[in-house]
Amino acid sequence: MTRWLDALDRKAGLRARAGLTRRLRPRAASDEVTDLAGNDYLGLSRHPRVIEAAAAALRRFGAGATGSRLVRGSTELHTALEAALADWLGTESALVYSSGYLANLGAVRALTQPATTLVTDAHNHASLVDGVRLTGRPPTITPHNDLPAVRAALAAAPTAPAVVVTESVFSVDGDLAPLAELHALGSAHDALLLVDDAHALGVLGPSGAGGVAAAGLAGAPDVVVTATLSKALGAAGGVIAGPAALIRHLIDTGRTFIYDTALPPATTAAALAALELARADDTGRAELAARATLAHARLTAAGLTAAPPAAGVVSVTAHGPAEAVAWAAACLDAGVAVGCFRPPTTPDPRSRLRLTINVGVPRHDFERALDVIVKTAPHPAPVS
């Protein structure tokens, strides 16, 4: 009766020997660590207007949404947030989900027909990977940002519709997809382009409208945008934005929308307040870009291998999984939290430290954090 538990123990042992054990590390509200691990790019999660908006909604609506969006979960706040997101992103319509993960699952499924060809980048986030898997369609996985491979995959597709699936700013290395070129390839083959804009929303584009807007594709009828509201907006939830007909289809048929309890009203209000702040915060975006450039320059000058940042993610190569864990732990011991990415989280065999820029961190603390990362780095420096 316990053989299944024995099997789990054996698997845990194998992961431990490979340096792939993961641990939960609860943090206190009074945590004084310099945070270069979270995704609060604009420092809005603790902005007084965001907190007050959430508190006011909590008093009005209570702790939870109490039901799915189609039962009792929709409030005037959800409608207002969807309207604001559509206006910001330049799309006809938008639909809010309880997480970005569920939004990606729902978007991929909604765009896939029985014979659809799915062309997906090898570095795509797990939520996009799982969305593709759930369709039951065998995907064509193209090498990272490889336009000739995408062109060949679309040319080889049958006459059935195709969907090109990508992130805008990739979550592990922080590099940017060639969205305009991907759109041109897709248009030439009557294919749709699905873009996860999670790490670009609030950071890139006019008024922070994201990577799709930065590429001049906002509102294009053959482009669908997804994003999470938990990064630059500092809240939680996800969104699918695109043509009104798609949103209607999702409301009628989307399982990850229909059967899921709605985003809590307090969180919805927080996201709406953060959106208004982010949209107007060009100064914060400029500071974020400057800090990302500074981080890359300091790390590479120290002999470390760091990918050039397109937005707020700076990825630094580590020797291996165990070395990445030890490096991240040394940083934390010195008061700096960084992301630690190892296989299978990474899209390739490389382990990395991932720094995410947060302009809510005082500048002197940020610069000290860079010193800590360099000082605790393994030597000799790892190469890609």
Side-chain angles (χ1 to χ4, degrees), residues 18-23 25 318 320-332 338-342 351-353:
L20 298 178
T21 298
R22 286 161 168 77
R23 293 180 176 85
R25 294 179 175 85
E323 291 81 0
V325 171
W327 191 4
C331 289
L332 190 59
V338 295
C340 180
F341 281 38
R342 300 160 286 161
S351 294
R352 303 155 169 87
L353 293 194

Side-chain angles (χ1 to χ4, degrees), residues 50 53-54 57-58 62-63 77-78 81 98 229 234-237 263-273:
V50 174
L58 186 65
L77 294 169
H78 292 83
L81 178 58
S98 65
L229 313 179
L263 192 68
T267 308
T268 306
L272 181 57

Side-chain angles (χ1 to χ4, degrees), residues 14-64:
L14 291 172
R15 290 195 301 272
R17 286 192 288 276
L20 298 178
T21 298
R22 286 161 168 77
R23 293 180 176 85
L24 296 173
R25 294 179 175 85
R27 61 181 174 89
S30 59
D31 181 26
E32 295 181 356
V33 169
T34 300
D35 185 9
L36 298 186
N39 297 308
D40 191 12
Y41 291 122
L42 299 177
L44 294 178
S45 69
R46 293 181 178 269
H47 192 286
R49 278 178 55 185
V50 174
I51 293 172
E52 180 50 39
L58 186 65
R59 289 188 291 266
R60 290 175 60 205
F61 290 100

Side-chain angles (χ1 to χ4, degrees), residues 142-209:
T142 55
H144 182 49
N145 279 347
D146 189 330
L147 290 170
V150 174
R151 181 184 296 110
L154 291 173
T159 56
V163 181
V164 177
V165 183
T166 188
E167 296 180 58
S168 53
V169 174
F170 286 89
S171 57
V172 174
D173 282 334
D175 54 330
L176 188 65
L179 295 180
E181 293 85 350
L182 288 172
H183 180 254
L185 285 176
S187 296
H189 293 85
D190 198 26
L192 298 176
L193 178 63
L194 172 60
V195 182
D196 179 351
D197 229 358
H199 288 275
L201 185 67
V203 177
L204 298 181
S207 300

Side-chain angles (χ1 to χ4, degrees), residues 26 70 81 117 126 132-133 156 159 163 216 248 251 267 285 321 330 348-349:
L70 291 172
L81 178 58
T117 297
V132 169
R133 287 173 176 170
T159 56
V163 181
R248 178 73 263 169
I251 293 171
T267 308
R285 273 184 285 280
D348 55 36

Side-chain angles (χ1 to χ4, degrees), residues 308-346:
V313 174
V314 182
S315 181
V316 193
T317 300
H319 285 295
E323 291 81 0
V325 171
W327 191 4
C331 289
L332 190 59
D333 288 343
V336 178
V338 295
C340 180
F341 281 38
R342 300 160 286 161
T345 301
T346 57

